[in-house]
Amino acid sequence: MKKLLPLMIAAAVTSPFAMAHQAGDILVRGGAAFVSPQESTSPIDLSINDNMQLGLTLTYMATDNFGVELLAATPFSHSVKLGDTEVAKVKHLPPTLMAQYYFGDAQSKVRPYVGIGVNYTTFFDEKGSGPLANDDISLDSSWGVAGQVGIDMAITDRWFVNGSAWIMDIDTDVHTQSVGTINAKIDPMVFMVGAGYRF
């Protein structure tokens, strides 16, 4: 994913087109979304693996510089381990609503942006495995703050490439029969690289 950024910048610099993100525009972005949990759990130390899925964002430009974005994705699937032993599998969806500020003006080829907002994460398909194979496992839904940085770079007057990153505050209680309740701070970094279209 890191190798794509220089190519995106080169495409933007050589493009003859202006970005033209302006008031009233709707921006649709899609691409590969990579979730990397920065987990901390107690009273036992669990690890959660990374996962990549299809990401999608929808942005409405309220002005030339301010936008409102909704982040969605296909369900992320994670393996939860105690040491080297898998103890659970879980899926989640993290829809996130962001208020964004875009730097530059409507005619800039490159539009960096920052955002702040709220994340709601719902967990489902929780399944115990290994020593917890016979346990009923459930995770509470989570509300938390989210921050974002990103950049759009024009390819044509409508198409652009995008790179973006979020940090999300996701805290949940994991309920198990064998261990009891486990407090988990997942707090993932989310990275997305893809393409967008301006309507």
Side-chain angles (χ1 to χ4, degrees):
M1 202 172 293
K2 293 179 180 178
K3 295 180 180 179
L4 290 178
L5 187 57
L7 295 175
M8 292 164 61
I9 294 172
V13 170
T14 58
S15 171
F17 299 99
M19 181 63 67
H21 286 0
Q22 57 192 0
D25 283 351
I26 294 175
L27 314 176
V28 178
R29 304 177 181 92
F34 179 78
V35 169
S36 179
Q38 312 297 305
E39 72 279 352
S40 172
T41 65
S42 65
I44 61 175
D45 189 17
L46 300 174
S47 62
I48 306 170
N49 75 326
D50 302 337
N51 189 239
M52 183 179 292
Q53 294 292 333
L54 174 65
L56 181 69
T57 69
L58 181 67
T59 301
Y60 173 72
M61 296 297 294
T63 73
D64 289 356
N65 294 95
F66 287 95
V68 178
E69 178 190 83
L70 178 64
L71 166 67
T74 53
F76 292 97
S77 179
H78 297 280
S79 172
V80 181
K81 292 185 176 182
L82 176 60
D84 294 328
T85 303
E86 183 180 83
V87 294
K89 293 181 179 179
V90 62
K91 294 182 180 179
H92 79 276
L93 284 171
T96 305
L97 187 64
M98 307 295 294
Q100 301 173 314
Y101 179 78
Y102 287 77
F103 298 94
D105 58 40
Q107 300 306 311
S108 300
K109 289 183 181 180
V110 179
R111 298 295 303 269
Y113 58 89
V114 294
I116 189 167
V118 62
N119 164 262
Y120 172 74
T121 298
T122 180
F123 300 91
F124 57 98
D125 281 357
E126 304 101 321
K127 296 178 181 178
S129 57
L132 300 184
N134 297 320
D135 276 26
D136 289 328
I137 297 175
S138 65
L139 282 75
D140 293 342
S141 297
S142 168
W143 288 91
V145 176
Q148 176 192 37
V149 295
I151 187 168
D152 289 332
M153 293 167 282
I155 298 299
T156 73
D157 60 342
R158 293 284 178 180
W159 287 97
F160 56 93
V161 290
N162 170 264
S164 51
W166 294 258
I167 179 116
M168 299 177 181
D169 176 26
I170 301 178
D171 299 340
T172 183
D173 286 335
V174 183
H175 303 284
T176 72
Q177 293 170 307
S178 299
V179 184
T181 299
I182 301 167
N183 303 119
K185 296 181 180 293
I186 301 173
D187 300 345
M189 294 289 298
V190 181
F191 305 93
M192 191 170 92
V193 174
Y197 188 81
R198 179 177 63 86
F199 290 90

